[in-house]
Amino acid sequence: MIQVVQQGLLDTIQDTGRYGYQHLGINPGGAMDRIALFTANCLTGNSGTEAAIELHFPAAAFLFEADAMIALSGADFGAMLNEQPIPLNQPVLAPKHAVLRFSRPVSGTRCYLAVSGGFALTPWLGSYSTHLKAGTGGFQGRALQKGDRLPFRQELALPPLKQPQVLPWSADISHLYATTGTIRIIHGHEWALLEKGSQEDLSGEAFMLTAQCDRMGFRLRGPVLKTRDRSERLSAGVSRGTMQLLPGGQLIILMADHQTTGGYPRVAHVISADMPALSRYAPHQPLRFSTVDLKTAEDLLWQQEQGLLILQNACKLRLEEWEQTTH
C-alpha cells in the first residue's frame, strides 16, 4: 500500500491505453511517454504495459505502508526517498514507512513511478488508464489526492528492509528517443491544402510550444500557415499525433487525451516513434519538424519496439540473478 501524503499538480494512474472504443468517442488515453512507462515497469519486473503513476511537477509525496520495489523513469524531479536522492531508470527498494518526495524540476515534464507487481485497481474497458473527462478508470477516475491509499497487487517477498537500497543496474534508454533534434512528421490527409510556402515553413521553420499544452494537446506558435481552400470541413477521425491547422493559421498537436474527431485540416502527423520525445517538451520550448515517408516512420517504430523488447529481457535476467542471490 502507498499513501499520498502531499497532493501533486496532476498525478494519475496510466498504462499504455484503452483501444477499440474510438468509434464510441472514447480515446485511448494512456501514458504520454510510453517509453518511460515501459522502462519503469520493466525495471521492477512488471510487464511494460502495467499501470504506473504519471507525475507532473510539483508532484505528490508518497508514504510506503509496506516494503516495495520501485523505479522512476522519464522526467527528473529530484526524487528523494527518506531524504536520500534516488536515480532514474534504476530499481530501488523502499522500506515500510519511507517517504518519497520530489524536490525540484531538473529536466523533462513527466515522471513515471512503477511498483513491483503493480497496483490493485479495477480496469475500465480493458485499461487502468485514468479518463479524466469521463471520470473513470485509474484511481476513482481522477487525479490522486492527499489521503488516497493505493494497494499493491502483491507484497514484496524479502527480508524486512531497514533503509532504501538502490540496486546495482540501470537502463540506458536515451537511444530509444528521437536523437535528430527534430520531431519527425508525415504528411496528413489535408497536406495538399497547404499553400506551397506554408508547406516549406512547416518543414523548415522553428515553432514554439505555448502555455496551452496539456494531456489533450500541444498548441504551437510559429509562422502563420495558410490553406488554398478555407471552406468549412466535415468532422473526421483524428488520432494521437495528428497536427490540425486552427483557423488562425497556428497548429495544435493532439496528445493522449485527444478528442476522437475534429473538423480542422489534418495537415500532418507526428510519427508514433517520436511521440514519447514530444511528450517531454515543456511550454515555451522551441521545436522543429522534419518530414519522413511512411515506410521510414514504420521502420523507426519497429526499431523502437525491438529496443523495448531487449530492455524487457535484460531487466528480467538481472532481476532473476538478483533474486537468486537474495533468497
Side-chain angles (χ1 to χ4, degrees):
M1 184 85 74
I2 190 173
Q3 181 182 167
V4 180
V5 293
Q6 178 180 312
Q7 187 168 328
L9 176 66
L10 180 65
D11 305 324
T12 57
I13 296 289
Q14 301 292 344
D15 60 13
T16 47
R18 173 178 295 111
Y19 292 89
Y21 303 96
Q22 284 188 266
H23 65 293
L24 301 176
I26 301 172
N27 63 48
M32 290 278 279
D33 183 347
R34 70 183 182 92
I35 292 176
L37 173 83
F38 196 97
T39 301
N41 273 318
C42 289
L43 285 166
T44 58
N46 296 341
S47 160
T49 60
E50 182 63 57
I53 302 176
E54 182 179 85
L55 304 157
H56 297 77
F57 195 85
F62 301 94
L63 168 68
F64 289 87
E65 299 185 3
D67 294 344
M69 177 188 292
I70 65 171
L72 298 166
S73 188
D76 184 352
F77 292 161
M80 309 278 286
L81 187 60
N82 275 359
E83 307 305 320
Q84 171 186 326
I86 59 172
L88 294 173
N89 303 322
Q90 204 162 345
V92 177
L93 299 179
K96 183 178 180 180
H97 302 313
V99 175
L100 175 66
R101 298 184 186 278
F102 299 88
S103 60
R104 67 192 190 287
V106 179
S107 62
T109 52
R110 293 171 184 85
C111 180
Y112 293 83
L113 167 61
V115 175
S116 180
F119 297 102
L121 301 168
T122 303
W124 179 62
L125 299 180
S127 169
Y128 295 99
S129 286
T130 307
H131 195 303
L132 292 172
K133 288 285 186 183
T136 189
F139 183 83
Q140 299 182 9
R142 58 168 172 75
L144 300 180
Q145 300 175 358
K146 183 178 179 179
D148 288 343
R149 301 172 74 223
L150 283 70
F152 298 155
R153 192 174 290 141
Q154 66 182 37
E155 297 291 330
L156 194 63
L158 287 174
L161 301 169
K162 295 182 179 178
Q163 59 187 5
Q165 180 182 351
V166 180
L167 300 187
W169 68 87
S170 62
D172 180 1
I173 56 173
S174 56
H175 64 289
L176 296 178
Y177 291 93
T179 57
T180 60
T182 63
I183 295 296
R184 289 163 290 196
I185 61 174
I186 58 175
H187 294 171
H189 196 265
E190 282 83 35
W191 169 265
L193 289 181
L194 284 175
E195 294 182 357
K196 181 68 174 177
S198 292
Q199 292 179 350
E200 295 172 351
D201 286 345
L202 179 51
S203 299
E205 296 297 321
F207 291 80
M208 178 86 74
L209 269 68
T210 70
Q212 295 174 290
C213 291
D214 56 24
R215 282 182 48 87
M216 289 191 67
F218 285 2
R219 286 179 178 259
L220 308 182
R221 183 181 301 115
V224 175
L225 306 181
K226 299 178 180 177
T227 60
R228 290 181 284 104
D229 178 4
R230 300 185 181 181
S231 59
E232 291 192 8
R233 317 191 70 77
L234 294 175
S235 289
V238 294
S239 61
R240 184 188 294 208
T242 296
M243 300 174 69
Q244 291 183 297
L245 184 63
L246 301 176
Q250 299 295 332
L251 294 167
I252 184 171
I253 306 174
L254 303 185
M255 304 301 286
D257 288 348
H258 63 83
Q259 71 275 17
T260 55
T261 61
Y264 298 132
R266 302 158 295 178
V267 296
H269 296 271
V270 175
I271 66 171
S272 296
D274 280 5
M275 288 302 293
L278 177 62
S279 74
R280 306 176 90 179
Y281 278 68
H284 310 300
Q285 188 173 352
L287 79 165
R288 290 179 179 272
F289 301 103
S290 60
T291 303
V292 297
D293 58 30
L294 183 58
K295 176 65 166 54
T296 300
E298 291 174 344
D299 288 346
L300 289 167
L301 182 60
W302 178 243
Q303 292 168 19
Q304 195 175 69
E305 292 297 325
Q306 287 183 308
L308 291 173
L309 183 59
I310 292 171
L311 170 69
Q312 186 173 38
N313 290 335
C315 288
K316 182 179 179 182
L317 288 174
R318 294 307 300 264
L319 280 168
E320 287 176 352
E321 292 173 356
W322 173 75
E323 288 173 352
Q324 289 173 2
T325 61
T326 54
H327 287 77

